[in-house]
Amino acid sequence: GVVDKGVYYTESSKFVGDNFKGNSNTSSLTSKKMTYFSKEEKVLFQGRVVMKDVDSVFKGESVEYYPKTEVVKSLEKYSIDYKDFQFRGDNGVFNNKTGILNGNKSDITAVNGDRFISDKIYGNLNEMIMDFTGNVNGEVHDRGVITTFKGDFARVYFKNSGKYEILRSEVREN
């Protein structure tokens, strides 16, 4: 990647720069500020962070990235456009290798209008199985019929048949 005004601090083993721009064959990343902590092997991106790859666009204001494990940790509000979905949350962790998403105050909307809001989300984006816990509110659109539900827990299974659709859902303690 490239930065403006890059400085390496030897005592704290960190590199700091402004206006970071990084690219690979399949992804790009930009932020207003970048701090690389070489001992911890982590990067802190701050200010208008945008991470793009083939399937997704991640946006946030304060993000830790761990290159070895490909873990992205959003320390503040974030949004992810992933295939047919938009994910929003207050903070969360996403593992690019495993597809595991773990977040707080989640709000997920599908292109067909399906929407799920909850205090927490834990899901696997590779397998498209999502667990929503705490104050779950959902709205599912199917052939012009809208079904709403509330509860403390919902597990939703999605399938891809050209577009993502709900295969099955389980709602408990509603």
Side-chain angles (χ1 to χ4, degrees), residues 85-99:
F85 301 92
Q86 182 173 65
F87 296 79
R88 289 191 186 109
D90 280 1
N91 56 55
V93 178
F94 177 65
N95 185 314
N96 279 324
K97 285 184 179 179
T98 64

Side-chain angles (χ1 to χ4, degrees), residues 1-9 14-20 32-36:
V2 178
V3 296
D4 295 335
K5 302 177 192 167
V7 177
Y8 184 75
Y9 297 92
K14 71 179 178 181
F15 178 80
V16 178
D18 295 334
N19 301 316
F20 177 80
K32 290 189 63 108
K33 184 174 183 176
M34 184 272 305
T35 306
Y36 176 64

Side-chain angles (χ1 to χ4, degrees), residues 15 42 75 79 86 89 92 102 111 116 169:
F15 178 80
K42 89 175 172 185
L75 305 174
S79 70
Q86 182 173 65
N102 191 350
V111 293
F116 306 91
S169 62

Side-chain angles (χ1 to χ4, degrees), residues 150-167:
K150 293 181 179 196
D152 288 327
F153 177 86
R155 175 171 288 160
V156 182
Y157 300 82
F158 296 89
K159 69 176 181 174
N160 184 355
S161 53
K163 62 178 182 171
Y164 282 92
E165 302 173 309
I166 294 175
L167 177 65

Side-chain angles (χ1 to χ4, degrees), residues 106 108 115-123 129-140 149-158 166 168-174:
S106 67
I108 298 173
R115 187 171 183 197
F116 306 91
I117 299 170
S118 64
D119 290 342
K120 295 190 177 292
I121 182 172
Y122 180 85
I129 301 170
M130 309 284 173
D131 288 348
F132 302 91
T133 55
N135 298 309
V136 179
N137 288 287
E139 184 175 291
V140 177
F149 60 86
K150 293 181 179 196
D152 288 327
F153 177 86
R155 175 171 288 160
V156 182
Y157 300 82
F158 296 89
I166 294 175
R168 185 174 96 222
S169 62
E170 303 167 7
V171 180
R172 295 184 216 145
E173 299 172 33
N174 54 353

Side-chain angles (χ1 to χ4, degrees), residues 11-50:
E11 297 229 353
S12 58
S13 299
K14 71 179 178 181
F15 178 80
V16 178
D18 295 334
N19 301 316
F20 177 80
K21 292 181 180 115
N23 291 300
S24 73
N25 292 337
T26 59
S27 61
S28 67
L29 193 152
T30 59
S31 70
K32 290 189 63 108
K33 184 174 183 176
M34 184 272 305
T35 306
Y36 176 64
F37 301 88
S38 59
K39 287 182 182 174
E40 296 95 342
E41 295 187 21
K42 89 175 172 185
V43 186
L44 175 63
F45 297 102
Q46 294 173 296
R48 285 190 242 142
V49 180
V50 179

